[in-house]
Amino acid sequence: MGFTASERGTLIYRSSSSAQTQLVCVDRMGKRTGVAARSGLYGNVALSPDDKRLAFDRQGPTGNDVWLMELQRPITSRFTFQPPNNNVPVWSPDGRTVAFASERNGGLDVYQRPSNAGGPDEPLLKLNAPPIMFPSDWSSDGRFLTYYRTDPKTGLDIWVLPLDGDRKPFPVLHAEFNESQPQFSPDGRWVAYGSDETATPQIYVQSFPMLTGKWQISTDGGTQPRWRRDGKELFYLALDRKLTAVTVMPGATFEADTPRALFETTLPVTAFRQTYSVSADGQRFLLNAPLESTASPMMVVLNWPALLLKR
């Protein structure tokens, strides 16, 4: 609850609002086209590569777990069962596997499991890392998984886990700034990410795997980058909460147009999670939007000290 009181006995307060959200489908104009799931305590959301399923994490009585939903029916099934927390699901490029963060051993590790739930959880990266270590994206060729984690000296850093060979993780961005939410371009040449190196969170693109070039994409701040499946557009959430698109010219060199706002949202810009997902063709979005009714009204009480005397 937030409140303020004047010396003349006027009290203004607002009760705590619910943290519940709703999974809403919208078009490129922001027009609602449907509701994917009823209200709940949702976190990260990720559409499958074929746009037919949704992976998300949701808070329950014993912690967070990953759930999968078939969007056409819709049918929702719990995907993780090991307490206390499993979250931040990421799809493999063929849609057959889901990677996720897990606290089952105290700190954070990354596990994977077949998306048909036909096998056990398999550890991908065991670091027992506190307090943040989240998978973020899987390269389209299936060779790399990128994640971001905290370092006591440099803050949030971006790392990549090779999924073949010696599978030894290596840093991509390890500077004295907070870099997070990396996303591979579909052709594997670039990594989009967020960084606060200019004090204001901005979206950048870094060449990969050779770190030979970097470009700033956002102009007035941004978080949560997402690529269109053909690599011709990059989306992000601007600091004014507008879902923004940038036209990208794919090729051996990186070229991007001026950002343009698509529509306004109510999504939080400070979240460490992905609060929206985009369809393969870039025409539809799924938003983890706060409920419109969660903002409680301001209440004004006159001569509030007199109320205490009546008790």
Side-chain angles (χ1 to χ4, degrees):
M1 177 183 293
F3 68 91
T4 182
S6 73
E7 294 180 355
R8 296 187 176 184
T10 300
L11 173 68
I12 302 175
Y13 71 93
R14 170 179 281 166
S15 59
S16 298
S17 61
S18 169
Q20 289 198 339
T21 59
Q22 192 174 53
L23 303 184
V24 178
C25 301
V26 301
D27 61 17
R28 283 180 71 98
M29 301 296 292
K31 180 181 178 181
R32 182 178 295 198
T33 59
V35 176
R38 64 181 186 273
S39 59
L41 299 174
Y42 300 106
N44 292 263
V45 293
L47 283 168
S48 62
D50 61 6
D51 290 341
K52 293 181 178 180
R53 290 184 290 173
L54 176 69
F56 59 88
D57 55 71
R58 183 170 66 188
Q59 185 176 332
T62 60
N64 288 285
D65 274 297
V66 176
W67 294 69
L68 301 185
M69 173 186 292
E70 297 182 34
L71 292 173
Q72 294 299 320
R73 293 202 258 181
I75 295 176
T76 303
S77 57
R78 185 173 172 179
F79 187 68
T80 60
F81 296 88
Q82 288 285 342
N85 289 306
N86 303 276
N87 53 15
V88 197
V90 174
W91 292 92
S92 65
D94 60 8
R96 296 180 180 178
T97 306
V98 175
F100 56 93
S102 179
E103 279 187 318
R104 66 190 64 184
N105 297 312
L108 282 163
D109 301 310
V110 177
Y111 283 75
Q112 66 177 359
R113 190 182 185 200
S115 60
N116 65 3
D121 297 353
E122 176 189 350
L124 272 178
L125 183 62
K126 299 198 74 173
L127 294 178
N128 197 30
I132 293 174
M133 202 269 290
F134 296 145
S136 190
D137 195 25
W138 212 309
S139 64
S140 59
D141 59 8
R143 296 178 56 204
F144 302 104
L145 181 76
T146 184
Y147 62 96
Y148 55 103
R149 59 167 298 185
T150 45
D151 183 285
K153 295 182 179 179
T154 58
L156 287 170
D157 296 323
I158 293 174
W159 289 70
V160 167
L161 171 68
L163 297 176
D164 53 14
D166 63 6
R167 298 179 67 162
K168 183 178 180 181
F170 60 90
V172 173
L173 290 155
H174 191 58
E176 293 184 3
F177 314 108
N178 290 305
E179 302 104 354
S180 63
Q181 302 173 326
Q183 297 282 300
F184 289 112
S185 63
D187 62 8
R189 294 176 179 269
W190 322 101
V191 176
Y193 65 97
S195 173
D196 64 358
E197 63 183 77
T198 63
T200 299
Q202 301 281 5
I203 300 298
Y204 298 85
V205 166
Q206 171 74 60
S207 58
F208 182 83
M210 300 299 293
L211 309 180
T212 55
K214 184 180 79 171
W215 295 262
Q216 181 175 327
I217 304 303
S218 58
T219 54
D220 297 312
T223 64
Q224 303 182 44
R226 293 276 196 179
W227 295 89
R228 198 170 81 185
R229 193 67 49 81
D230 61 6
K232 294 182 179 180
E233 271 189 312
L234 179 63
F235 304 96
Y236 66 89
L237 185 64
L239 296 189
D240 60 3
R241 299 187 178 186
K242 291 179 180 178
L243 207 295
T244 303
V246 179
T247 299
V248 176
M249 283 63 79
T253 59
F254 185 81
E255 295 183 57
D257 209 343
T258 303
R260 63 191 186 283
L262 297 181
F263 56 88
E264 293 184 359
T265 77
T266 57
L267 301 179
V269 297
T270 57
F272 281 116
R273 61 184 186 269
Q274 290 280 9
T275 57
Y276 75 95
S277 192
V278 58
S279 63
D281 61 5
Q283 301 303 305
R284 294 172 292 119
F285 300 85
L286 190 142
L287 311 180
N288 182 13
L291 291 178
E292 294 179 0
S293 60
T294 59
S296 55
M298 300 292 291
M299 305 297 292
V300 179
V301 180
L302 301 178
N303 195 23
W304 65 269
L307 297 178
L308 301 178
L309 298 177
K310 293 181 180 180
R311 292 184 175 272

